[in-house]
Amino acid sequence: MLSLLLPVMELLSAVWGNVKGILLSIKTFSFFYWLKTFKAQKISPQSRIGAGDSTKVVPTSVNYHFTRQCNYKCGFCFHTAKTSFVLPLEEAKKGLTMLKAAGMEKINFSGGEPFLQERGHFVGKLVQFCKQDLQLPSISIVSNGSMITEKWFKLYGEYLDILAVSCDSFDEEVNKSIGRGQGKKNHVENLLKIRKWCRDYNVAFKINSVINCYNVNEDMNKEITMLNPIRWKVFQCLIIDGENSGEEALRQAETFVITDNEFTSFLDRHRNVKCLVPESNKQMRDSYLILDEYMRFLDCRNGRKDPSKSILDVGVENAIKFSGFDEKMFFKRGGKYVWSKADLRLEW
Ligand code: SF4
């Protein structure tokens, strides 16, 4: 009897060994599959909402042009004072909270001139809200710099990551020809003052320049190197129908336009400036998520700004479908960079 049982037990033990091996293989395979999926989700959380839906764009980085009013008269301006509307503060905060819930990480406040509204307190309160309440990693402002005071930095500087000031020339006469200026204010002197305040109050300093027919031959190497911004954004003057071109537009910028070759030669002249980030017309057009004063996304794909419905009326997900946003171009032009001052080494 025993001699009969022994071979049966050996057979059963061999089968069990194989089953264990198969189970172990399944377990190992499942783990690696899970790890691979998890890693894929972690690498690009900002690019899509939810697995399997490739059409939903997350508003990772948003530009909120909350006002169209400005004290300057730049001839090429492509966000002109077509309305004087500004959302009440609480409504604006509500919209920003919705954007945060939809995945926003960076907000840029722009205009018009953001410091015109309530002498800078409106934008200051939004900046404070976005950092303290929404805890956004990056908050920036683009301004012409003419209305910023040291008092503003004392009140709100700690909540701001980056301040970008527009400067197209270091020759005051050129700035005047462009329309960058108001009365006796000296644009370049102002820029130097703001540069110092950014250093004193630990805000990263950035410069934006629009290259047009008046400054295309200028050599800015010395001044930009001296100012040492974290980024120098260099834009090619852009035509937007209804803003700076066409019958209903408040500006006619055709005479400011430069060719692609002229833009390239400007970039070439400044190739040794490490912080230079160029943006041609093509890169600019569809790679920004732009919200206007009513919190409507603006679609620039057809060379004009076609608005969606307001996110306050239809929600972020519905409005963003009409934004014309080209996410690939956003990443290609370096739209995602180190944008929180906590991660920047601010060495002055
Ligand atoms: S400072 Fe900016 S918003 Fe104001 S007119 Fe010039 S380009 Fe337009």
Side-chain angles (χ1 to χ4, degrees):
M1 186 66 183
L2 195 64
S3 61
L4 199 67
L5 266 176
L6 272 176
V8 172
M9 281 173 75
E10 267 172 23
L11 184 70
L12 281 174
S13 146
V15 170
W16 174 237
N18 281 339
V19 169
K20 250 171 67 182
I22 291 166
L23 284 175
L24 193 68
S25 303
I26 291 172
K27 228 170 127 183
T28 312
F29 175 76
S30 306
F31 172 72
F32 279 113
Y33 182 75
W34 172 83
L35 193 68
K36 206 173 149 211
T37 318
F38 177 75
K39 273 189 182 164
Q41 282 170 355
K42 285 206 63 126
I43 287 165
S44 57
Q46 74 278 16
S47 53
R48 303 287 173 209
I49 298 172
D53 191 340
S54 60
T55 59
K56 291 180 185 173
V57 176
V58 177
T60 313
S61 174
V62 177
N63 294 276
Y64 176 26
H65 296 247
F66 65 84
T67 178
R68 283 179 169 271
Q69 293 170 293
C70 188
N71 56 332
Y72 277 16
K73 290 189 172 54
C74 308
F76 51 69
C77 180
F78 52 82
H79 204 79
T80 52
K82 296 201 293 192
T83 77
S84 58
F85 183 80
V86 177
L87 272 174
L89 188 68
E90 290 312 312
E91 286 290 292
K93 284 183 181 175
K94 187 176 152 201
L96 291 165
T97 309
M98 290 164 71
L99 286 160
K100 161 81 197 262
M104 177 171 70
E105 291 174 29
K106 179 182 190 298
I107 181 80
N108 177 49
F109 295 107
S110 190
E113 173 46 45
F115 285 82
L116 258 185
Q117 191 73 11
E118 294 176 23
R119 293 186 165 270
H121 288 293
F122 188 86
V123 72
K125 285 174 203 163
L126 289 182
V127 165
Q128 184 171 1
F129 172 75
C130 285
K131 191 53 94 183
Q132 269 188 334
D133 296 57
L134 300 185
Q135 310 214 325
L136 290 185
S138 180
I139 299 151
S140 61
I141 303 177
V142 175
S143 163
N144 64 33
S146 63
M147 315 223 10
I148 307 178
T149 59
E150 186 170 9
K151 193 175 157 207
W152 191 93
F153 275 93
K154 278 187 186 149
L155 285 171
Y156 306 108
E158 66 177 293
Y159 310 114
L160 183 65
D161 291 279
I162 304 168
L163 177 64
V165 181
S166 313
C167 179
D168 305 327
S169 173
F170 292 93
D171 179 342
E172 200 52 23
E173 287 311 307
V174 174
N175 282 326
K176 280 186 192 152
S177 310
I178 291 171
R180 275 220 195 274
Q182 185 196 23
K184 289 199 177 114
K185 282 182 182 168
N186 183 307
H187 191 73
V188 178
E189 276 175 18
N190 230 13
L191 186 74
L192 296 173
K193 239 175 11 188
I194 294 168
R195 175 72 185 94
K196 181 182 175 305
W197 291 332
C198 281
R199 188 176 295 149
D200 294 347
Y201 294 90
N202 199 35
V203 173
F205 175 72
K206 190 174 153 187
I207 297 176
N208 287 355
S209 301
V210 177
I211 308 311
N212 59 83
C213 66
Y214 288 98
N215 62 1
V216 68
N217 295 316
E218 195 167 324
D219 182 345
M220 306 188 191
N221 279 293
K222 199 175 90 207
E223 291 85 356
I224 296 289
T225 308
M226 186 262 291
L227 287 163
N228 190 24
I230 51 145
R231 263 161 99 85
W232 180 31
K233 266 278 184 92
V234 175
F235 302 96
Q236 183 180 359
C237 182
L238 179 69
I239 292 291
I240 297 273
D241 195 35
E243 293 282 355
N244 60 14
S245 171
E247 273 177 26
E248 286 162 30
L250 296 177
R251 300 280 200 283
Q252 301 300 327
E254 279 84 359
T255 53
F256 283 80
V257 168
I258 55 166
T259 63
D260 289 351
N261 281 347
E262 285 174 314
F263 185 59
T264 308
S265 80
F266 181 91
L267 297 177
D268 218 38
R269 198 176 316 124
H270 298 91
R271 64 184 171 280
N272 292 329
V273 180
K274 296 228 165 30
C275 58
L276 192 159
V277 181
E279 254 175 58
S280 64
N281 286 174
K282 194 173 160 12
Q283 286 169 311
M284 269 174 88
R285 213 163 251 137
D286 317 324
S287 66
Y288 284 87
L289 265 180
I290 302 174
L291 270 186
D292 75 357
E293 65 276 21
Y294 301 100
M295 286 199 154
R296 304 177 301 184
F297 285 109
L298 297 178
D299 179 351
C300 303
R301 275 177 302 184
N302 296 319
R304 47 175 201 271
K305 289 176 169 173
D306 295 324
S308 70
K309 292 204 164 121
S310 172
I311 63 166
L312 296 168
D313 295 329
V314 298
V316 176
E317 205 181 302
N318 283 324
I320 211 168
K321 287 178 196 157
F322 299 93
S323 65
F325 178 59
D326 183 342
E327 197 179 49
K328 275 196 197 125
M329 187 58 94
F330 168 74
F331 285 109
K332 204 170 153 193
R333 73 163 167 82
K336 182 112 204 281
Y337 56 97
V338 182
W339 53 31
S340 169
K341 69 178 170 188
D343 301 326
L344 284 164
R345 273 200 214 131
L346 298 180
E347 288 162 0
W348 315 110

